[in-house]
Amino acid sequence: MASQNGSVLMRVLVTGGSGLIGKAIEQVVMRDGEKREGEQWIFISSKDADLMDLEQTRAVFEKHRPTHVIHLAAKVGGLYLHMRENLHFLRDNLRINDNVLWTAHEMGVTKVVSCLSSCIFPDKTPYPIDETMIHLGHPHESNYGYSYAKRMIDVQNRAYFAQYGHRYTAVIPTNVFGPHDNFNEAEGHVLTAIMNKAYKAKRNNTTLNVWGSGKPLRQFIYSMDIGRLIVWVLREYDEVDPIILSVGEEDEVSIRQAVEMIAEALEFKGQIEYDTSLSDGQLKKTATNAKLRRYLPDFTFTPFREAVKLTCDWFVKNYDHART
């Protein structure tokens, strides 16, 4: 990928560049030394273009003329928002994804790496889940709109390859968290919403109320690890078939264990109550990272407790402008 004369050989456009994973990729590439000679990286957000609008999508691609795209932009939210607005999550994400992939095709983009989610897998399935099982049953009813829209990226990738020979692919992270996440109690992901609740409970000397029983199991992965892995996928992974990016099955933790680590990281000593009248969502969605390990047997993930502490520290330091 080295350039002989300083010219740009790879121009990477990152959609959703201001979000959790986009900011992690920016950190990894622009500040942690992963950027290579001959690469140009452009991070765009909804302020630059409404990707639900085809003409705005075309305009931002025309402006930057990418050779490669990392497609992270999506309408996302927490469990309870998904349960209320499945139709909106379906329609908005179908539009965004179709516009980005079709415009990439029109503009002759070499490679697109799109980001899926572990919630796309069937609700009723044997465990551990692997990449071949995406379409083998209905997703969980709580977020089926978002899940089906994300599944269609995999269908489109296969169709673009069959019809045009394009190497568009997708990654499937498990539960990502880290700096720049959405910490909103109602709309954020489970870990970061609880971090916000615990921070407020400590400050106000009140009880920490956690929605659900605390029993569900999740494979949490630190955003900086996902950032490093997606950069690797862009450069080195040549399959159209998606790849799961996750810690191992042995690193699965319960929400209750995660809450205890958050309380420890924030030095919250108060009472913790679990509201079992509220839904838990899926009780487990254990995925195998065997495929990733075949490619990268020596990749080191940030230990969960350390990642929780790093994220809590970032949140406290940046509380005034974090998404709350």
Side-chain angles (χ1 to χ4, degrees), residues 245-264:
L245 304 182
S246 176
V247 297
E249 300 158 56
E250 68 281 2
D251 293 315
E252 200 169 44
V253 297
S254 71
I255 300 300
R256 187 178 290 267
Q257 288 172 300
V259 169
E260 289 167 0
M261 290 188 203
I262 290 167
E264 179 186 301

Side-chain angles (χ1 to χ4, degrees), residues 171-189:
V171 298
I172 310 172
T174 49
N175 294 68
V176 188
F177 72 100
H180 302 281
D181 205 343
N182 184 353
F183 292 81
N184 183 278
E185 291 180 29
E187 298 178 5
H189 292 120

Side-chain angles (χ1 to χ4, degrees), residues 40-221:
Q40 181 181 354
W41 290 75
I42 303 132
F43 296 84
I44 63 167
S45 72
S46 55
K47 292 175 184 173
D48 299 286
D50 177 1
L51 298 178
M52 284 190 285
D53 183 291
L54 181 57
E55 291 311 311
Q56 288 193 43
T57 307
R58 284 176 171 152
V60 80
F61 271 67
E62 285 278 7
K63 178 181 178 181
H64 297 294
R65 305 300 302 188
T67 62
H68 294 66
V69 173
I70 296 176
H71 174 40
L72 308 174
K75 176 174 177 173
V76 296
L79 171 64
Y80 299 96
L81 186 64
H82 279 277
M83 290 170 72
R84 290 195 306 271
E85 297 186 10
N86 266 297
L87 176 63
H88 291 159
F89 280 101
L90 175 68
R91 297 186 74 229
D92 291 352
N93 284 297
L94 284 173
R95 280 198 196 104
I96 291 168
N97 300 333
D98 188 51
N99 288 345
V100 167
L101 291 174
W102 182 249
T103 304
H105 161 69
E106 286 184 323
M107 301 277 179
V109 169
T110 302
K111 185 173 182 179
V112 181
V113 178
S114 296
C115 191
L116 309 187
S117 164
S118 59
C119 71
I120 68 175
F121 287 109
D123 181 32
K124 306 286 192 292
T125 185
Y127 295 101
I129 298 163
D130 67 36
E131 292 84 354
T132 67
M133 299 160 70
I134 294 173
H135 305 285
L136 300 183
H138 299 295
H140 192 268
E141 64 180 11
S142 63
N143 55 7
Y144 65 87
Y146 179 79
S147 299
Y148 275 120
K150 285 291 192 180
R151 283 187 185 188
M152 285 302 104
I153 291 179
D154 179 56
V155 174
Q156 287 176 292
N157 286 345
R158 295 171 193 280
Y160 276 108
F161 180 70
Q163 197 160 334
Y164 296 111
H166 293 332
R167 292 268 172 193
Y168 299 169
T169 192
V171 298
I172 310 172
T174 49
N175 294 68
V176 188
F177 72 100
H180 302 281
D181 205 343
N182 184 353
F183 292 81
N184 183 278
E185 291 180 29
E187 298 178 5
H189 292 120
V190 59
L191 270 199
T192 43
I194 292 168
M195 288 176 186
N196 190 8
K197 283 186 175 184
Y199 177 74
K200 289 177 180 173
K202 178 187 176 184
R203 194 174 58 183
N204 300 327
N205 198 27
T206 55
T207 298
L208 170 56
N209 184 270
V210 179
W211 294 350
S213 68
K215 292 178 182 176
L217 298 168
R218 294 291 183 264
Q219 287 158 292
F220 292 107
I221 180 167

